Every structure is written in C-alpha cells, then in structure tokens.
C-alpha cells in the first residue's frame, strides 16, 4: 500500500512536512520512553534481523517464516510486480527462490502472506487503494515449495467478500491450529477483524464476517501455538490473547521498531521472536525477541533498546494507547498524533493513484 502517489506536484512539500514532524517525534520522546523507535536489543539471543537485498523487491508488504527451510522468509511486492512470491534467506538477505503463480488472474493489490497448518502459503490480494470500492478481493493458495529454486506453480484462487460490504485490508492471518483464515481491515478510525468460513471454497464467494474491532492495522500474525494474535500498524503493535476464535481484552503493547512504511510482521517458527518488515528498496527486517513469562508461556516482546545500547525504562510501552509512561512521553504522543494527521491530510489532498 502506498500512502501517496509517486508523482504529485505538492509531494515534496508534504514530504518535508512529514519529515519535520517525524524529527519532532524523535526529539520529543526521551530515550527512556521511546522503545518503538529502537532498532534491536543488544545481547539478545535468537534470530537477528536482515536486509532484503533483491532489487526486484521494493515494496515488501508481507512476511511468512518457512517451516521446512530454516531461516527463510517468504515475501512479495505490494503491487505493480506480478504473480510472484520471493523466498529470502535471512542469513544473507538474498533471494533463494522466486515462485511464479499460475492459474490465477492478474494480482491487483497483494498485501499479506501467511503459512497455514496444511503446509500451504496463503497470499492475500486484499488491498483496495480505492478505499473499499471493489466488490470482491482474492486469496491465492499454493504448497510451500520443498526445494528452494525459481519455479512456476499452479495456485488455487478464492474469491472473498465481506458481509458488511467492501473494505480495504492489509492483514491476512491463517490460524496455525484450525487453519481458519482471518483478515483485519484497515481504517483510520476503527478497523474490523473478519473471520472466514471454516474451509475456503474455490466455487462461489467466501463471505468473511466481522467478529471484532481492531486498530489501524497493516499486518498481523498468529503465534505458532495459536494462543496469541499480534497486529501491527505504522507506529505501534499490540499482542492479544486468542481464545475460542476471538481476541481477549485490549491486548498488550509490543516493542515494534520504527520503520516508516511499516507493513509486515511474522513469528519465527519457535515463537520466540517477532520479525517486523517494511517497504522500500533494501528494506530491513527487525527481530524483536518475545520474552518468556513465568510458566513458560509467551508474552508480548520486550521493547528493543535504542541505538547506542541504552535500555528502555521499565513501564515505557511505546504505545500511545497505553496512556503514558516516563516523563515527556505525553508530549511525544501529541507530536506523533500530529504526524499522523499530516499523513492523512496529505492522502486526502493528493488522492491515491487508481489501480485497475
């Protein structure tokens, strides 16, 4: 998803305004209250982040950790690419496989990817840059390749509608136990969590029904045991307990990194780390460890430390929804809100590039 068209007359002025506000955010947040701007936790064990080096991948909009190829992550471009899915080796950042999908129509706005318990990858062509005017979207499904090489595979295509009408979405999550597919719509005020049918059908439409409210979401992922759902947006992320097909409570803040066009998140196969990705050439994927709770249960990831090795202060959540923390954080929230307003105002002023 692009916040703005690539070529607009006032884009330079708007970019300057956004950059100014972003700088103000960084300055307004003291180190002890800005874990969401951090880039990594020094000394943390487990997987490390990596950079996607493939020049063909400039709009990485989804991430899914492979279960049969350790250290490999599947991703895809947002749009203007084609029916391609890329396997990236996190040890090198290089593409080790490009899968070309056949048996489907022309992808329109691919926003998410998730690996199901059936060993198949689910690709969500669910974005709608016309703000919910397409009367249907699609999900593509194909088996995760057993060999890492360029290949062409035949995928299944599923037509998706929503019971309460069209909407824009960027997050698709397949539950790792039940195999049920969920979509989180993207809305500036209140998005929705939508539940698909028990089994997707290639014949006819698959109607997704709203089962809950969610914040402004750009991606989401279930923990490997299926007990938590993590949702991220541009500025924050939250992790929710998952029980009986629903989220519980308001969730807990996650120490998501600041990544600008923050678009993706996935768990590592062992559930101990969250990997956060973003759009852009040579985009970075940041690893945030999930702290173990008493009794061995997974809890939301601890906030990574800011660059320079300083640790975040206890209780500083980095999420405006938590209502504050260390001194100066309230001011940072106000500035962050102003930044969001600038971006949204820019979108409304300049419009979005229509897509066929």
């Amino acid at each position: 998803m692009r916040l703005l068209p690539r070529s607009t007359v006032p884009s330079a002025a708007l970019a300057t305004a956004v950059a100014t506000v972003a700088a103000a955010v960084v300055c307004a947040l003291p180190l002890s209250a800005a874990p969401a701007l951090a880039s990594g936790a020094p000394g943390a064990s487990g997987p490390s982040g990596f950079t996607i080096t493939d020049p063909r991948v400039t709009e990485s909009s989804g991430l899914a950790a492979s279960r049969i190829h350790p250290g490999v992550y599947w991703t895809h471009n947002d749009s203007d690419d084609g029916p391609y899915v890329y396997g990236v080796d996190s040890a090198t950042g290089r593409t080790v496989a490009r899968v070309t999908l056949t048996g489907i129509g022309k992808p329109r706005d691919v926003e998410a990817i998730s690996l199901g318990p059936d060993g198949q990858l689910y690709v969500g062509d669910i974005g709608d840059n016309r703000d919910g005017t397409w009367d249907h979207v699609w999900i593509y499904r194909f088996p995760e390749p057993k060999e890492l090489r360029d290949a062409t595979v035949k995928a299944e295509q599923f037509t998706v509608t929503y019971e309460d009408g069209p909407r824009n979405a960027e997050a698709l999550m397949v539950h790792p136990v039940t195999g049920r597919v969920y979509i989180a719509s993207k809305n500036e005020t209140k998005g929705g969590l939508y539940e698909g049918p028990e089994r997707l059908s290639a014949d006819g439409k698959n109607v997704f029904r709203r089962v809950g409210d969610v914040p402004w979401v750009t991606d989401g992922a279930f923990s490997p045991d299926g007990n938590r759902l993590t949702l991220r947006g541009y500025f924050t992320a939250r992790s929710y307990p998952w029980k009986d097909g629903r989220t519980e409570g308001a969730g807990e803040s996650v120490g998501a990194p600041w990544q600008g066009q923050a678009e993706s998140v996935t768990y590592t196969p062992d559930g101990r780390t969250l990997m956060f990705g973003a759009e852009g050439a040579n985009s970075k994927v940041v690893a945030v460890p999930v702290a173990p709770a008493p009794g061995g249960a997974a809890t939301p990831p601890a906030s990574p430390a800011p660059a320079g090795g300083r640790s975040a202060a206890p209780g500083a959540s980095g999420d405006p929804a938590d209502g504050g923390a260390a001194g100066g954080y309230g001011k940072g929230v106000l500035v962050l809100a102003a930044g969001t307003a600038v971006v949204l105002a820019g979108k409304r002023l300049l419009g979005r590039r229509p897509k066929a």
Side-chain angles (χ1 to χ4, degrees):
M1 179 269 176
R2 296 194 187 97
L3 286 177
L4 299 172
R6 280 178 173 162
S7 57
T8 52
V9 175
S11 60
L14 179 62
T16 301
V18 173
T20 301
V21 174
V25 171
V26 175
C27 295
L29 293 176
L31 287 176
S32 62
L37 305 184
S39 60
S45 60
S48 59
F50 61 96
T51 298
I52 299 175
T53 61
D54 191 331
R56 298 170 297 183
V57 182
T58 58
E59 292 186 306
S60 175
S61 293
L63 280 176
S66 172
R67 292 204 191 102
I68 59 179
H69 304 295
V72 170
Y73 291 83
W74 298 101
T75 190
H76 53 81
N77 281 310
D78 180 340
S79 55
D80 297 338
D81 185 14
Y84 306 121
V85 173
Y86 301 82
V88 180
D89 181 1
S90 61
T92 64
R94 297 177 181 173
T95 296
V96 291
R98 185 173 85 157
V99 180
T100 302
L101 306 184
T102 62
I104 64 173
K106 181 181 179 181
R108 191 162 50 189
D109 192 354
V110 180
E111 293 287 356
I113 187 168
S114 184
L115 185 59
D118 53 3
Q120 300 202 78
L121 286 162
Y122 292 69
V123 179
D125 192 353
I126 55 176
D128 189 343
N129 286 334
R130 296 175 178 176
D131 288 327
T133 58
W134 291 326
D135 61 2
H136 67 277
V137 292
W138 300 295
I139 294 172
Y140 312 126
R141 184 176 70 185
F142 65 97
E144 181 180 12
K146 292 183 172 57
E147 297 181 17
L148 293 174
R149 57 181 178 83
D150 290 356
T152 299
V153 302
K154 185 174 182 178
E156 295 178 275
Q157 177 170 310
F158 304 97
T159 300
V160 169
T161 62
Y162 302 93
E163 67 172 358
D164 52 358
R167 56 209 57 249
N168 186 25
E170 295 190 12
L172 177 146
M173 300 77 61
V174 182
H175 194 272
V177 178
T178 66
R180 200 158 201 154
V181 181
Y182 294 83
I183 293 174
S185 67
K186 180 182 178 183
N187 188 277
E188 295 164 7
T189 54
K190 183 183 290 185
L193 180 64
Y194 290 83
E195 178 186 72
E198 185 175 357
R199 294 290 180 268
L200 295 178
S201 171
D203 301 321
K205 294 180 180 180
N206 297 274
V207 180
F208 279 59
R209 61 191 186 93
R210 191 174 183 128
V211 295
D213 297 333
V214 294
W216 195 4
V217 175
T218 60
D219 201 14
F222 283 107
S223 59
D225 60 10
N227 291 333
R228 299 197 74 87
L229 173 64
T230 295
L231 300 173
R232 81 163 304 173
Y234 290 123
F235 304 116
T236 63
R238 300 190 74 79
S239 181
Y240 301 83
W242 184 265
K243 186 176 180 181
D244 299 327
R246 303 290 184 272
T247 57
E248 289 191 329
E252 299 87 17
S253 175
V254 171
W258 166 254
Q259 293 180 292
Q261 189 85 6
E263 289 284 336
S264 57
V265 64
T266 189
Y267 280 85
T268 53
D270 61 8
R272 296 179 179 178
T273 307
L274 277 165
M275 308 294 284
F276 290 92
E279 286 192 6
N282 294 310
S283 62
K284 296 184 183 300
V285 176
V286 180
V288 178
V290 176
T299 62
S303 298
R310 301 187 189 182
S311 299
S317 70
D319 191 336
D322 287 346
Y329 185 65
K331 179 181 178 182
V333 171
L334 293 177
V335 178
L336 189 60
T340 304
V342 170
V343 174
L344 298 183
K347 287 197 304 179
R348 293 191 178 101
L349 175 65
L350 302 178
R352 301 181 182 183
R353 184 181 61 186
K355 290 183 178 146

